[in-house]
Amino acid sequence: MPDTPSASTLLTGYLDECRALVVEEIRRLVPADRPKAAFLYELMLEYPLREAKGLRPALCIATCRALGGTLEAALRPAAALELYHNAFLIHDDIEDESLLRRGRPTLHHLHGVPVAINVGDAMLALSLQPLLDNIGVIGLGPSLRILQTVTRMARESAEGQALELEWIRRGTWALEDEDYVHMVEQKTCWYSFITPVKVGAIAAGQEARRTEVLAEFARCLGITFQIQDDVLNLSGEPGAYGKELGGDLWEGKRTLMLLHMMRHASPEERAEAERILCLPRPSATLEPLLEGLVARGELTPSGREELRRAWAPPSPPLKEKTPEQVRFLLELIHRHGSLEYGRQVAREWLRRAERAFAECEAGFLPSVHRDLLQALLSYVLHRVK
Amino acid sequence: MPDTPSASTLLTGYLDECRALVVEEIRRLVPADRPKAAFLYELMLEYPLREAKGLRPALCIATCRALGGTLEAALRPAAALELYHNAFLIHDDIEDESLLRRGRPTLHHLHGVPVAINVGDAMLALSLQPLLDNIGVIGLGPSLRILQTVTRMARESAEGQALELEWIRRGTWALEDEDYVHMVEQKTCWYSFITPVKVGAIAAGQEARRTEVLAEFARCLGITFQIQDDVLNLSGEPGAYGKELGGDLWEGKRTLMLLHMMRHASPEERAEAERILCLPRPSATLEPLLEGLVARGELTPSGREELRRAWAPPSPPLKEKTPEQVRFLLELIHRHGSLEYGRQVAREWLRRAERAFAECEAGFLPSVHRDLLQALLSYVLHRVK
């Protein structure tokens, strides 16, 4: 299914519209009557207001409306999920020591780890409010089922995150593709795909049995999305301020491609790759951030020198990965055809998603909302970022 | 009201009993069927299983039962609050860079910041489950009011925490006692006192109007508790492995005593104190932790040397507080009678709590539960740790 211009136009327009509605809803949630906490609420808006695709709100709203539900029924839950997502990103960025998020410095790089942890916690707390407020719109029963789903989602995400951190901490490499898929299902699919779709269906008044078929569609869509995300991380051109190229390799993330390479590498290559992957990433990673600020004219070169002196990294207490070593890993991945393998597995998951979509299709009303869900099938694999 | 032996025995027994019930409930919540996430659930039990007073569960259960409610109605909400409390402690310990919690190393010192952030998030998620499970016991209406209260609690706590972090980050000293009280009300009272009492009352079937009087009792009790906590932090003898003496001064926490001292110090003293308080605490604070482990025989002296070499702190990039400077602050606090001032203000808040208790008293059944609430009035001021 090639990405036709019309599907792509529909997608962009629909996503933008949903995102605008949800951002408006999030702004409404932020209490205006708390002058003493104004700085907290400003920081809570920092990530949600940065440019983003808004995939989760669109999935939630499109599912609800394709099933005959109203925009009003889905809007507050969509805002809750977007808030939850942004809270998760803030904590995830600290855990992964990321420098940039949506083309700007991460929250903990701007305001320190203590403030960033607390802002994330505040957003998690605030994300419950629209779900409680929605009782008046969709009633008690569906609202409680949504609360149950969101509680489960939060648990699944934390379990997925724990699994990935544990693999990195323990230097675990004896992993099969299904271990990767299980982790992605918990860490990514539950909160980015399964829950938006389930919540949209519940808001539309669907029973539990029906939401399970939709959840399977969402799960396959999410796994395709994540494999493609990992492929792009390894193969994309490094933009001036965008995602760090090969960031996953620096972090030692277990991607399908890395696991494939490790299975096919020679014993010597494998031993060397394991040795490199266990090294921490350099702690002096402030550099690209400073470079980006200077390039954008947000920092003077002399200001950069001053910051470099103040933050002068100590000689590292442990050996760290070098760019040459990360390049070596990337070469191994190319040599063993692991990128092509990843793309192929992604295509298989997309076919499963298409079959699941076909199974749900009878329940959808012919509408732009149904078309959006279908357009996402093509999008998750063919997007370029 | 002196602390009579019988009140103290009642208190200890009651708290222990509630804690045991709640720990059992928390263990039940931890999924046994998730072998792939076993390490996550083990870490989620780490803080709850350490020795603790269990003030929040006791407050919740005693309030519910003193108002004629059942233990069953209050038990799950009490477990939810205890889980929430422990999640907050994990994140708080990272934010404050604390080394010890309940006599043992903090979670992030044991397992790193990424894991600790995620464990806290998982506990926040899990804490919603018992509130949803409780619908079958107390019904939909009261369960939703409890969810509303807990959502508000989480927001108030995050606002209080943000306020305190902001004061420290900006070096704000132009603060009155009422600013301190406002921060404590948000940061401590809401989740440690007001919410346990409100939730206990709702579980007992009380209407909103009635819970407000109880909330005032809880608020005054909580402010007394926190002032006394700050007094103990400045005046207690340093135990072998307990809380770090004067930890609040190292952190630059705005306590009532510090604010009083700053108001009464000479301009020179004040300038010097401000200069010291703005310095970061030393980053080489691994030392007391290592000392404690060696003293308890959990680490060999040669193991300590190895750890010291691996974690060799760099020469600090910024000037840090020295023990002499912290001692200077402590001397100023003694010189200006600030500890005595703090104790006096705590007594005033206790009297307000007593008056609020007297106003609620007619609603309480004569019972051990009512007696426990009364015993807490004495306890919050006369406890020694």
Side-chain angles (χ1 to χ4, degrees):
Chain A
M1 187 174 23
D3 199 14
T4 63
S6 69
S8 150
T9 312
L10 160 73
L11 194 89
T12 316
Y14 198 100
L15 261 62
D16 287 351
E17 205 178 316
C18 288
R19 208 181 107 70
L21 285 166
V22 159
V23 164
E24 199 184 322
E25 190 62 31
I26 289 175
R27 278 186 186 279
R28 218 195 314 272
L29 270 171
V30 175
D33 60 337
R34 323 275 286 192
K36 289 206 174 167
F39 48 90
L40 173 65
Y41 289 100
E42 208 172 284
L43 297 187
M44 285 167 74
L45 290 175
E46 172 80 32
Y47 275 19
L49 294 186
R50 291 186 186 177
E51 203 181 311
K53 292 188 285 287
L55 201 56
R56 291 153 202 86
L59 258 178
C60 180
I61 291 169
T63 304
C64 177
R65 304 203 66 189
L67 292 165
T70 63
L71 171 64
E72 203 199 354
L75 187 53
R76 286 196 183 98
L81 294 176
E82 189 65 7
L83 263 176
Y84 181 88
H85 166 57
N86 282 280
F88 192 70
L89 288 181
I90 292 174
H91 285 182
D92 205 43
D93 284 344
I94 304 171
E95 292 166 33
D96 295 344
E97 296 176 38
S98 299
L99 297 166
L100 297 170
R101 170 63 63 187
R102 294 172 179 162
R104 296 211 53 220
T106 49
L107 201 68
H108 68 283
H109 266 285
L110 287 175
H111 301 281
V113 168
V115 168
I117 293 178
N118 190 54
V119 171
D121 286 348
M123 288 164 79
L124 288 178
L126 201 66
S127 71
L128 284 179
Q129 198 56 58
L131 301 180
L132 295 170
D133 294 345
N134 214 34
I135 293 172
V137 182
I138 62 171
L140 264 176
S143 292
L144 279 169
R145 279 175 61 208
I146 289 177
L147 274 167
Q148 288 275 15
T149 307
V150 168
T151 302
R152 164 122 188 240
M153 166 196 87
R155 208 185 70 192
E156 297 279 352
S157 306
E159 284 186 19
Q161 181 78 348
L163 199 55
E164 191 174 35
L165 289 170
E166 188 73 3
W167 289 343
I168 294 176
R169 270 160 49 88
R170 290 193 189 255
T172 305
W173 286 105
L175 296 167
E176 301 298 323
D177 283 4
E178 63 197 55
D179 296 310
Y180 167 87
V181 167
H182 173 83
M183 183 274 289
V184 165
E185 184 176 336
Q186 288 199 293
K187 187 183 159 169
T188 304
C189 295
W190 260 94
Y191 94 97
S192 296
F193 292 88
I194 299 175
T195 307
V197 163
K198 271 192 154 190
V199 163
I202 298 169
Q206 297 285 317
E207 320 155 5
R209 190 178 42 79
R210 215 179 138 68
T211 64
E212 286 316 308
V213 196
L214 287 158
E216 176 61 13
F217 157 66
R219 188 178 77 94
C220 300
L221 198 66
I223 293 167
T224 314
F225 179 92
Q226 187 58 54
I227 298 175
Q228 179 65 5
D229 210 55
D230 296 345
V231 165
L232 289 170
N233 187 281
L234 289 170
S235 57
E237 281 303 303
Y241 329 106
K243 231 173 186 172
E244 315 147 69
L245 176 65
D248 290 351
L249 291 177
W250 287 101
E251 286 175 27
K253 268 177 73 175
R254 273 66 175 160
T255 62
L256 210 56
M257 283 70 75
L258 200 57
L259 295 180
H260 177 269
M261 180 274 277
M262 295 294 262
R263 281 199 300 267
H264 291 80
S266 70
E268 295 73 30
E269 286 172 342
R270 193 189 147 96
E272 177 64 6
E274 276 202 29
R275 200 183 64 78
I276 295 172
L277 285 161
C278 286
L279 296 175
R281 60 189 294 169
S283 43
T285 38
L286 200 69
E287 272 310 308
L289 180 59
L290 295 179
E291 294 300 337
L293 286 169
V294 170
R296 291 205 302 285
E298 294 188 40
L299 177 68
T300 62
S302 72
R304 177 180 56 192
E305 290 317 304
E306 206 171 312
L307 288 171
R308 272 185 184 151
R309 277 195 301 275
W311 279 325
S315 53
L318 296 166
K319 281 218 177 99
E320 292 168 344
K321 286 191 191 81
T322 65
E324 291 68 35
Q325 290 174 325
V326 170
R327 238 185 319 269
F328 171 75
L329 294 175
L330 207 50
E331 275 162 25
L332 283 184
I333 282 172
H334 282 282
R335 187 181 311 160
H336 292 289
S338 304
L339 267 179
E340 190 33 59
Y341 174 73
R343 291 198 185 97
Q344 174 201 324
V345 177
R347 283 192 297 272
E348 285 165 23
W349 279 101
L350 181 65
R351 278 192 289 274
R352 288 199 210 188
E354 285 167 351
R355 282 197 296 273
F357 183 78
E359 272 189 58
C360 320
E361 221 186 337
F364 293 138
L365 306 171
S367 61
V368 64
H369 315 295
R370 179 215 155 281
D371 297 347
L372 181 276
L373 293 174
Q374 187 162 35
L376 282 175
L377 284 167
S378 171
Y379 166 76
V380 291
L381 198 59
H382 299 292
R383 72 210 163 88
V384 287
K385 67 165 194 168
Chain B
M1 184 175 23
D3 198 14
T4 64
S6 69
S8 150
T9 312
L10 160 73
L11 194 89
T12 316
Y14 198 102
L15 262 61
D16 287 350
E17 206 177 318
C18 290
R19 208 180 107 69
L21 286 166
V22 158
V23 164
E24 201 183 323
E25 190 63 30
I26 289 175
R27 277 186 187 279
R28 218 195 314 271
L29 271 171
V30 174
D33 59 337
R34 321 277 284 192
K36 289 205 176 169
F39 49 88
L40 173 64
Y41 288 100
E42 208 172 285
L43 297 187
M44 284 166 76
L45 289 175
E46 171 81 32
Y47 275 19
L49 294 186
R50 291 187 186 177
E51 204 181 311
K53 292 189 285 286
L55 202 57
R56 290 154 202 85
L59 257 177
C60 179
I61 292 170
T63 305
C64 178
R65 303 203 66 189
L67 293 165
T70 63
L71 171 64
E72 203 199 352
L75 188 53
R76 286 196 184 97
L81 294 176
E82 189 65 7
L83 263 176
Y84 182 88
H85 166 56
N86 282 280
F88 192 71
L89 288 181
I90 292 173
H91 285 183
D92 204 44
D93 284 344
I94 304 172
E95 292 166 33
D96 295 346
E97 295 176 39
S98 299
L99 297 167
L100 296 169
R101 169 64 63 186
R102 296 173 179 162
R104 297 210 53 221
T106 48
L107 201 69
H108 68 283
H109 267 285
L110 287 175
H111 302 281
V113 168
V115 168
I117 293 177
N118 190 54
V119 171
D121 287 348
M123 289 164 79
L124 288 178
L126 201 66
S127 70
L128 285 180
Q129 199 55 57
L131 301 181
L132 295 170
D133 294 344
N134 214 34
I135 293 172
V137 182
I138 61 172
L140 264 176
S143 292
L144 280 169
R145 280 175 60 209
I146 289 178
L147 274 167
Q148 287 275 17
T149 307
V150 168
T151 302
R152 164 122 189 240
M153 166 196 86
R155 208 184 72 192
E156 297 278 353
S157 305
E159 283 186 21
Q161 181 78 347
L163 199 54
E164 192 175 35
L165 289 170
E166 188 72 4
W167 288 344
I168 294 175
R169 269 159 50 88
R170 291 195 189 254
T172 306
W173 286 106
L175 296 166
E176 299 299 323
D177 283 3
E178 63 197 55
D179 296 310
Y180 167 87
V181 167
H182 174 82
M183 184 273 288
V184 165
E185 184 176 336
Q186 288 198 293
K187 186 183 159 169
T188 304
C189 295
W190 259 95
Y191 94 96
S192 297
F193 293 88
I194 297 174
T195 306
V197 163
K198 271 192 155 190
V199 162
I202 298 168
Q206 297 284 317
E207 320 154 6
R209 190 178 41 79
R210 202 158 160 78
T211 63
E212 287 315 308
V213 196
L214 287 158
E216 176 61 12
F217 157 66
R219 188 178 77 94
C220 299
L221 199 65
I223 293 167
T224 314
F225 179 93
Q226 188 58 53
I227 298 175
Q228 178 66 5
D229 211 54
D230 295 347
V231 166
L232 289 171
N233 187 280
L234 289 171
S235 57
E237 281 303 304
Y241 329 107
K243 233 173 187 174
E244 315 148 71
L245 175 65
D248 289 352
L249 292 176
W250 287 101
E251 286 174 27
K253 268 177 72 176
R254 274 64 174 161
T255 62
L256 210 58
M257 284 69 75
L258 199 58
L259 296 179
H260 177 269
M261 180 275 276
M262 295 293 263
R263 282 198 300 267
H264 291 81
S266 68
E268 294 75 27
E269 287 171 342
R270 193 190 148 97
E272 177 64 5
E274 277 201 27
R275 200 183 64 77
I276 295 172
L277 285 161
C278 287
L279 295 175
R281 59 188 296 169
S283 44
T285 39
L286 199 71
E287 272 311 307
L289 181 59
L290 294 179
E291 294 299 337
L293 285 169
V294 169
R296 292 204 302 284
E298 295 187 39
L299 176 68
T300 62
S302 71
R304 176 180 56 193
E305 290 318 305
E306 206 171 313
L307 287 170
R308 272 185 185 151
R309 276 195 302 274
W311 279 326
S315 53
L318 296 166
K319 280 217 177 106
E320 291 167 345
K321 286 191 191 81
T322 65
E324 292 66 38
Q325 289 174 325
V326 171
R327 238 185 319 270
F328 171 75
L329 294 174
L330 206 51
E331 275 162 24
L332 283 185
I333 282 171
H334 282 283
R335 188 182 309 161
H336 293 289
S338 304
L339 266 179
E340 189 35 58
Y341 174 74
R343 291 199 184 96
Q344 174 202 323
V345 177
R347 283 193 296 271
E348 285 165 22
W349 278 101
L350 182 65
R351 277 193 289 275
R352 288 198 210 187
E354 286 168 349
R355 281 198 297 274
F357 183 79
E359 271 188 59
C360 320
E361 221 186 339
F364 292 138
L365 305 171
S367 62
V368 64
H369 316 295
R370 178 215 156 279
D371 296 348
L372 182 275
L373 294 174
Q374 187 162 35
L376 282 175
L377 285 167
S378 171
Y379 167 76
V380 291
L381 198 60
H382 299 294
R383 74 211 163 87
V384 287
K385 63 165 197 168

